[in-house]
Amino acid sequence: MTAFNKANLRSNAAPEITLLLIEPTGSRRDITTDNLSPDFTQHMRKQTFLTCLGTRPEIIKMAPVYKALQAQGNRVQIIHTGQHEAVAHELYRFFEMPPDLVIDLQRKSSTLAHLTSALTDGLEAAMRTLQPDVVMVQGDTTSAFIGALIGYYDDIPVAHIEAGLRTHERDPFPEEKNREMIGRLARWHFPPTDQARRNLLAENIPPDQIHQVGNTVIDAALWTRDRLHKTFGQDNPALPSVAQVFLKKHADDRLILITAHRRENWGQPIRQIAQAAAAILTDHPDTVVIWPVHPNPAVRLDVENEIAKLPQSVQRRFCLTAPLEYPALIDLLVRCHFTLTDSGGIQEEASAFAKPVLVARNSTERQELVDVGGARLVGTDIDQIRFHAGLLLSNADIYRQMQVTQSPFGDGLSAQRIAAILSSSNALTTHDGASLAN
């Protein structure tokens, strides 16, 4: 990283950041801006839409927008900012959306300040290389915030996908402030729900810049389900082998999918979730659990220790796996009877398949699902989890009541709406002198 001093702040020299071009063969070529040929720069200038992605949720939720814009004949390119490097490229391959540039962050610290500084240098150099007409960011990550900020600095209009989510509290940190600040930088705001739209209006965002479209996570989940069914049927190779064997052995049993990853649930809360799951299986012998456990060794040990206390007849109905790839997670959501989770994304995805959700938290930013009856807030209290799970397993009327016929987060057409708005003749203009129409 460049050491910041007064000389550097006044200089127009390129930062010491590496940009890697992804070749058609999959190899990476260093194309830092000082080494770019005029022909390459002119070719890249044809680019219209640019999206900055670095984490698993961003890739999943932006994939439908990428496909919808391409289907309309637009150009879409991707800068991969590299936070979730281990899982990102598998997702890019699955959604058939290879990144065009990769920022080699070369992180020397885990602090947010260091990440912010590295992303600022990297995205500034990348946008100078690609010269997009519109920058698209998704959600509330640091890469989304910095992407919006650099777009604003370079006078490139910014489109914010999944805008307007608020807790009106400090947490989640730093996401709550990231999404608030993106709200001050964006030109197009795409809130998924009416509550998100009202949050933006309360912050004095002009109404003509707000377009309620639903959440693209529903588009991605439905597309993934259909692709898996068409390609693999019931034999999804993305499922870990231990899960495949487990499902075949318990083909006639009802499946509960459990996930718990939030830091506030580590320790005693996650032990209570495991104890509650054990109680549910004891109460309902025709029920099994698949639990992709967080990779933190302490978390996994807590879960394993609780299960080890159980009789073998109950232990055999637990299947613990490593964290799942996205296609495997969607497969299990389609198969499961209901899910017990602390994940906001899974609350949304489960609603796409009319699966009841027990939320292992005391509050949720996805309150819309609670309001329509598709989710219950049960926290990590053993008795609450056991009681509500018991109702879902023993009372068909209550189960049907929690099967929402229409997800409050979307109908699978959100990306098409976004693409139509961004592609409309009176919405899109370049940033090199033309005025931006409403």
Side-chain angles (χ1 to χ4, degrees), residues 262-273 298-299 302:
R262 296 177 69 88
R263 188 175 294 273
E264 61 263 33
N265 278 345
W266 293 7
Q268 183 59 27
I270 209 162
R271 290 193 288 271
Q272 292 176 189
I273 294 173
V299 172
D302 278 339

Side-chain angles (χ1 to χ4, degrees), residues 161-212:
I161 317 300
E162 198 182 58
L165 273 65
R166 300 288 186 271
T167 63
H168 305 291
E169 298 174 356
R170 181 179 184 273
D171 291 326
F173 172 88
E175 289 84 1
E176 178 73 3
K177 290 304 174 186
N178 284 346
R179 55 201 182 199
E180 287 181 10
M181 289 186 285
I182 295 171
R184 315 316 300 176
L185 301 169
R187 164 59 182 82
W188 295 280
H189 307 259
F190 294 107
T193 64
D194 184 63
Q195 180 59 60
R197 180 188 66 85
R198 287 187 276 118
N199 289 339
L200 293 169
L201 290 173
E203 296 174 5
N204 297 316
I205 302 298
D208 64 348
Q209 297 183 7
I210 302 172
H211 309 274
Q212 183 180 334

Side-chain angles (χ1 to χ4, degrees), residues 68-298:
L69 284 168
Q70 280 196 330
Q72 293 186 355
N74 297 295
R75 287 190 162 191
V76 190
Q77 289 189 314
I78 297 170
I79 300 174
H80 175 58
T81 57
Q83 289 98 304
H84 289 182
E85 190 71 15
V87 299
H89 291 284
E90 184 61 39
L91 278 172
Y92 286 130
R93 284 190 291 272
F94 177 73
F95 285 113
E96 299 173 336
M97 47 184 285
D100 299 276
L101 288 180
V102 171
I103 297 175
D104 186 3
L105 288 177
Q106 302 177 6
R107 294 183 67 177
K108 300 174 183 177
S109 167
S110 61
T111 67
L112 281 171
H114 178 75
L115 174 62
T116 300
S117 175
L119 286 174
T120 299
D121 282 351
L123 286 172
E124 180 186 30
M127 288 191 198
R128 185 168 57 243
T129 298
L130 299 176
Q131 302 181 32
D133 296 308
V134 172
V135 172
M136 299 188 300
V137 298
Q138 196 286 326
D140 50 25
T141 65
T142 301
S143 54
F145 167 52
I146 299 302
L149 183 65
I150 298 301
Y152 177 79
Y153 283 167
D154 288 351
D155 200 25
I156 306 170
V158 174
H160 185 198
I161 317 300
E162 198 182 58
L165 273 65
R166 300 288 186 271
T167 63
H168 305 291
E169 298 174 356
R170 181 179 184 273
D171 291 326
F173 172 88
E175 289 84 1
E176 178 73 3
K177 290 304 174 186
N178 284 346
R179 55 201 182 199
E180 287 181 10
M181 289 186 285
I182 295 171
R184 315 316 300 176
L185 301 169
R187 164 59 182 82
W188 295 280
H189 307 259
F190 294 107
T193 64
D194 184 63
Q195 180 59 60
R197 180 188 66 85
R198 287 187 276 118
N199 289 339
L200 293 169
L201 290 173
E203 296 174 5
N204 297 316
I205 302 298
D208 64 348
Q209 297 183 7
I210 302 172
H211 309 274
Q212 183 180 334
V213 294
N215 198 315
T216 59
V217 72
I218 304 298
D219 305 38
L222 295 174
W223 182 88
T224 298
R225 177 201 60 188
D226 294 345
R227 181 179 182 185
L228 291 175
H229 179 73
K230 181 179 179 180
T231 306
F232 303 115
Q234 292 295 309
D235 299 317
N236 179 7
L239 284 171
S241 58
V242 64
Q244 294 182 42
V245 172
F246 183 81
L247 288 169
K248 289 179 180 178
K249 181 178 179 180
H250 297 281
D252 295 329
D253 293 326
R254 293 177 293 182
L255 173 65
I256 303 172
L257 175 63
I258 298 179
T259 73
H261 73 279
R262 296 177 69 88
R263 188 175 294 273
E264 61 263 33
N265 278 345
W266 293 7
Q268 183 59 27
I270 209 162
R271 290 193 288 271
Q272 292 176 189
I273 294 173
Q275 292 165 23
I280 294 166
L281 296 193
T282 301
D283 295 341
H284 303 275
D286 63 341
T287 303
V288 297
V289 164
I290 292 184
W291 187 337
V293 182
H294 192 282
N296 182 284

Side-chain angles (χ1 to χ4, degrees), residues 367-385:
Q367 183 64 32
E368 293 89 348
L369 188 58
V370 177
D371 292 342
V372 299
R376 297 279 187 275
L377 294 171
V378 296
T380 58
D381 181 85
I382 298 171
D383 292 335
Q384 282 291 306
I385 296 172

